[in-house]
Amino acid sequence: MTDKPFTLRIPFPGFQPSRTDNHITRHLSDLEGRFMDTETYEQMLEEEDVMLYEVYEVRRPEIAGEMLFGIDIIHPGKVGDEFFMTKGHYHEMLETSELYYCLQGEGFMVMETPEGDTAVEKLFPNSVIYVPPRWAHRTVCTGQNEDLVNFYIYPANAGQNYGTLEQFGFRKIIVERNNRIEIIDNPNIKHRS
Ligand code: S6P
Ligand code: ZN
């Protein structure tokens, strides 16, 4: 059966698409082991399991030829010096790409390849970031009080692989030091043998 074309609206502000099939929320507890300052992480978690980000998905069949798209919203905040961020992942099908269009806020897309290449691109309103095949990606919100909001789109058969980066960590992380936003080497990185 052939689908009919459809239109959705992304309201400003709010950004929840007029068609949303799935609303994912990720909290501090979902990112265990991913922040550098584990002591502060545990302390914060004891106080409140705050929401770090949410995703509004439009569901499509996860098959070649289809595309998955939606809105992700990363809230402002830090664990110690390190800004709130998404888990980050490789695509299960490594040779697939992704596109992000920033609608609001400020932050970074932190990326790396299995070969050890790294890249960090700035996200700001109306910027478009192309994540090529093979590049793992994580979104970081560096705004003081403002959500980082992006529209994303990628091949529907891409899938996500979280395990590799959960095990080894991203090579670069985004922190605030002396009131400056800095991109630094992850001190907790585990080296691949
Ligand atoms: C999926 C795409 C985004 C992320 C979202 C949350 O390929 O990159 O929709 O799922 O930004 O990030 P994560 O790393 O928790 O899936
Ligand atoms: Zn992705």
Side-chain angles (χ1 to χ4, degrees):
M1 194 190 83
T2 307
D3 268 318
K4 287 225 165 60
F6 60 91
T7 301
L8 33 105
R9 278 166 289 105
I10 299 169
F12 175 89
F15 300 104
Q16 180 180 340
S18 56
R19 171 175 166 178
T20 297
D21 301 317
N22 196 23
H23 180 212
I24 300 168
T25 58
R26 297 276 183 240
H27 295 76
L28 201 54
S29 57
D30 295 310
L31 274 82
E32 192 184 357
R34 287 176 166 91
F35 286 99
M36 166 181 64
D37 184 346
T38 48
E39 203 174 305
T40 304
Y41 175 87
E42 295 297 341
Q43 280 170 9
M44 285 176 68
L45 198 53
E46 255 174 49
E47 274 171 39
E48 192 191 346
D49 191 8
V50 291
M51 192 200 292
L52 304 188
Y53 61 98
E54 48 196 313
V55 184
Y56 292 103
E57 292 183 331
V58 177
R59 280 244 170 88
R60 297 295 308 163
E62 295 180 12
I63 55 174
E66 288 278 352
M67 295 199 289
L68 297 182
F69 54 94
I71 291 283
D72 57 30
I73 302 178
I74 300 93
H75 300 300
K78 282 183 294 182
V79 175
D81 294 340
E82 195 173 2
F83 291 99
F84 284 0
M85 60 193 184
T86 60
K87 288 182 181 181
H89 56 264
Y90 283 102
H91 285 166
E92 192 67 49
M93 198 173 283
L94 197 56
E95 303 297 337
T96 54
S97 56
E98 184 156 348
L99 194 108
Y100 282 79
Y101 176 34
C102 179
L103 301 172
Q104 179 191 281
E106 57 183 74
F108 292 93
M109 185 70 73
V110 179
M111 294 165 280
E112 66 179 59
T113 67
E115 291 73 32
D117 302 303
T118 60
V120 179
E121 294 285 327
K122 205 162 169 32
L123 284 158
F124 52 90
N126 301 316
S127 62
V128 175
I129 294 185
Y130 178 64
V131 181
R134 305 185 70 76
W135 287 80
H137 40 286
R138 157 180 284 165
T139 317
V140 182
C141 174
T142 56
Q144 289 296 318
N145 302 305
E146 196 181 31
D147 289 339
L148 173 65
V149 184
N150 303 299
F151 176 84
Y152 64 86
I153 183 161
Y154 65 100
N157 59 340
Q160 280 82 25
N161 161 11
Y162 293 97
T164 307
L165 290 158
E166 186 176 11
Q167 190 182 352
F168 296 106
F170 270 79
R171 290 174 165 86
K172 299 285 179 188
I173 61 171
I174 312 291
V175 296
E176 187 170 63
R177 296 269 160 86
N178 307 316
N179 292 320
R180 282 166 48 99
I181 296 166
E182 292 185 9
I183 303 163
I184 64 167
D185 290 333
N186 182 355
N188 295 345
I189 192 90
K190 306 240 178 11
H191 290 285
R192 287 92 168 151
S193 51

